């Protein structure tokens, strides 16, 4: 019998919690959330959002087998599982913008059914089958005529502020989500946007005036009131439609970055490129993995070379432009199995939030059947001074199967790394790489990459 484990990210909501058992996800609805949930279903909003693909599919169910009944639980829901969870600080610009657009569209749809979102956290959205999807089923409550949107400030902190900073200053501002789980402070956004942003009426109202209003109440040691004036439903809808139109027009800057145009600046011949694709594809056809982590994936070229029947391919890279290009292609081509994320392997996403457990670390979420490190090892060992043993340990923590592409010093890409620094890496050679990884894997298969100096190494535990 599988044990029941509460998802630590759901403990804040008094209306219900999320539980995991094996590969199944259940959500409880407490009695306090009964009235809002009933209206959510009976109004047709639940069905509408699921049909549109905006809300995670779920069904009502009986008390699951092996689960003792909890005091106060009114209903159980079985929820479709998101196969790989990612967090806002791992998203590219368009992933965050699409999530903001989805949140606004859901709020507008809810208002027309007499409901509203009580919160607008970016963590209520996940990347799922190539697009964002809303996962917080209990985030809906009845709308009261004249009330402003209670989640407006949170939307500004989780979506609007970060998007404007990424668009007008630097894409890497998204990394601050690690420090601010509750979103970017509005005054921080206001202070860091260009002065010219004040000439935009939308920025002036939603950011700069908003920040001044918050400072006013903080300076008097008073709490920001829950209601500032009233808005009719029609006025609120117009405001949200204007906000939606503005968010849709926020553009991503694409500055030149190290890896954004990697495949236009490589020493691969077409033959070598094709050979590597075929070798990796052949290994996957034999292994039949359910989840692959493609580390240093760049724009996802080799993530797409994998067999398309692999359910989950986590396509991770450090470069925000490369990840964004990858995601845009996923969205355009409707690739449901590829999950692009931002990830610095030398500083992978840690567990954060309350007791560092609300949002699981990358090493926890990245446990997979196969870890790929194609054209990566030289960047870790030479570019970042990591001992080969540390790299091998990292791969073994993720998977019992690893495919590593070893790029020797004679390769022009390694020579480029060494051109601006002293060569202090006497042990960086193929034999040392093999010996080191063999400490953590029991079996090795070697595949020379045709028309190149490179070698693919397939390490696995002997079964």
């Amino acid at each position: 019998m599988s044990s029941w484990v509460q998802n630590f990210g759901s403990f804040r909501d008094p209306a219900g919690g999320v539980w995991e058992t094996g590969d199944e996800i259940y959500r409880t609805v407490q009695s306090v959330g009964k009235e809002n949930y009933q209206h959510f279903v009976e109004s047709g909003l639940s069905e509408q959002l699921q049909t549109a693909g905006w809300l995670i599919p779920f069904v009502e169910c009986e008390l699951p087998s092996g689960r003792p009944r909890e005091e106060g639980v009114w209903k159980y829901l079985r929820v479709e599982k998101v196969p790989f969870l990612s967090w806002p600080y791992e998203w590219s610009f368009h992933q965050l913008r699409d999530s903001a657009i989805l949140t606004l569209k859901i709020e507008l749809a809810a208002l027309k059914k007499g409901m509203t979102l009580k919160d607008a956290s970016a963590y209520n959205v996940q990347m799922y089958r190539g697009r964002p999807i809303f996962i917080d089923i209990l985030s809906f409550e009845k709308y009261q005529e004249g009330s402003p949107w209670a989640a407006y400030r949170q939307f500004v902190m989780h979506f609007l502020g970060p998007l404007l900073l990424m668009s007008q200053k630097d894409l890497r501002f998204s990394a601050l989500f690690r420090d601010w789980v509750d979103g970017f402070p509005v005054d921080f956004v206001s202070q860091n946007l260009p002065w010219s942003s004040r000439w935009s009426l939308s920025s002036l109202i939603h950011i700069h005036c908003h920040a001044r209003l918050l400072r006013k109440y903080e300076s008097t040691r008073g709490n920001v009131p829950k209601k500032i004036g009233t808005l009719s439903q029609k006025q609120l809808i117009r405001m949200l439609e204007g906000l939606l139109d503005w968010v849709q027009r926020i553009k991503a800057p694409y500055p030149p970055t190290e890896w954004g145009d990697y495949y236009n600046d490589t020493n691969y011949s077409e033959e070598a490129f094709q050979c590597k694709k075929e070798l990796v594809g052949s290994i996957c056809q034999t292994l039949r993995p359910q989840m692959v982590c493609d580390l240093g994936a760049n724009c996802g070229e080799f993530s797409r070379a994998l067999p398309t029947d692999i359910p989950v391919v986590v396509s991770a890279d450090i470069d925000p432009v490369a990840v964004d290009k990858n995601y845009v292609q996923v969205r355009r081509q409707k690739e449901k199995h590829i999950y692009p994320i931002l990830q610095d392997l030398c500083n992978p996403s840690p567990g954060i939030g309350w007791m560092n457990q609300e949002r699981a670390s990358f090493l926890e979420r990245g446990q997979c059947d196969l870890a790929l490190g194609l054209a990566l090892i030289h960047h870790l060992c030479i570019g970042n001074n990591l001992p080969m043993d540390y790299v091998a340990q990292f791969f073994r923590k993720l998977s019992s199967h690893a495919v590593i592409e070893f790029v020797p010093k004679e390769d022009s890409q390694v020579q480029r790394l060494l051109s601006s620094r002293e060569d202090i890496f006497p042990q960086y050679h193929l034999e040392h790489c093999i010996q080191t990884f063999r400490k953590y894997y029991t079996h090795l298969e070697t595949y020379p990459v045709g028309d190149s100096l490179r070698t693919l190494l397939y390490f696995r535990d002997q079964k």
Side-chain angles (χ1 to χ4, degrees), residues 218-236:
E218 289 171 0
S219 65
T220 57
R221 297 186 180 183
N223 294 322
V224 178
K226 293 182 179 179
K227 293 187 178 182
I228 304 176
T230 61
L231 282 176
S232 70
Q233 186 183 55
K234 288 184 178 180
Q235 289 173 321
L236 180 56

Side-chain angles (χ1 to χ4, degrees), residues 184-241:
F184 289 33
V186 182
D187 65 326
F188 174 86
V189 177
S190 177
Q191 291 165 17
N192 283 277
L193 282 176
W195 180 260
S196 58
S197 65
R198 288 160 176 80
W199 296 108
S200 161
L201 182 60
S202 296
S203 293
L204 183 64
I205 293 172
H206 294 291
I207 300 297
H208 302 296
C209 291
H210 191 169
R212 284 200 295 270
L213 180 64
L214 293 174
R215 282 195 295 270
K216 173 185 175 182
Y217 284 98
E218 289 171 0
S219 65
T220 57
R221 297 186 180 183
N223 294 322
V224 178
K226 293 182 179 179
K227 293 187 178 182
I228 304 176
T230 61
L231 282 176
S232 70
Q233 186 183 55
K234 288 184 178 180
Q235 289 173 321
L236 180 56
I237 288 175
R238 282 199 298 271
M239 185 272 282
L240 291 167
E241 288 175 340

